[in-house]
Amino acid sequence: MLKKTALLFLLFYSYAVLRYHVGKGLGQEEILFVLNKAFAWTAGTCFAFTLLPKKWFPNTVIYRKQFGLLGYGFSLLHITANIILINATNYPLLFNANKLNFHGWQIIILGILTILCFTMPLIATIQKQPAGNVLYKFGKIGVFASIIHVSIIGIHGWFFPLDWPYYLPPITLLFVITASGIVLFRSILTK
């Protein structure tokens, strides 16, 4: 699972490099900013993968645990990068005169709530709780929270394909479509 996730991360990072370094012309000084896009995308995708059916992973009995742990690890990288990067230069839409605006606080609070939701299944995993434990249910809530979090971040750029570098859709849009598709697929399977 680790190799497949590393490959997924490299794919996401390659897309981010193409979209931001090549398409938007961001220089080498923006490597962490672009890398952070891949951290976040990989984290969210791993968390969404925990909702996929068991039959898709016949050789991996504990795929949910593995995807959850990998998603949590990439989330910690994403959070760390954001702590380093957060300023009006890197995230101008989140600031007014070097102070976080409502939009900025909204994104940060949703991000905190999202990681708290994903922390609950992590605690259950560390405590070796049985599969039906209520703490695991927070993972699904976390996926919903991450979809909302990412939607608020990126929705302003989703409807203007002429502004997309090389017509490459925003990473936020790609993640929301993928995660929402997995949630929808899961809800259809459980009916």
Side-chain angles (χ1 to χ4, degrees), residues 66-123:
Q66 291 174 334
F67 276 132
L69 290 173
L70 289 165
Y72 205 87
F74 277 102
S75 288
L76 293 178
L77 291 172
H78 172 59
I79 291 165
T80 303
N82 275 331
I83 290 169
I84 294 167
L85 292 167
I86 193 154
N87 61 49
T89 303
N90 291 326
Y91 300 106
L93 295 177
L94 308 185
F95 287 86
N96 291 338
N98 289 327
K99 285 188 150 187
L100 274 172
N101 58 27
F102 177 76
H103 185 63
W105 280 111
Q106 189 179 34
I107 290 168
I108 288 171
I109 290 168
L110 268 168
I112 291 168
L113 290 173
T114 301
I115 196 65
L116 287 174
C117 286
F118 290 130
T119 300
M120 297 302 140
L122 177 66
I123 290 168

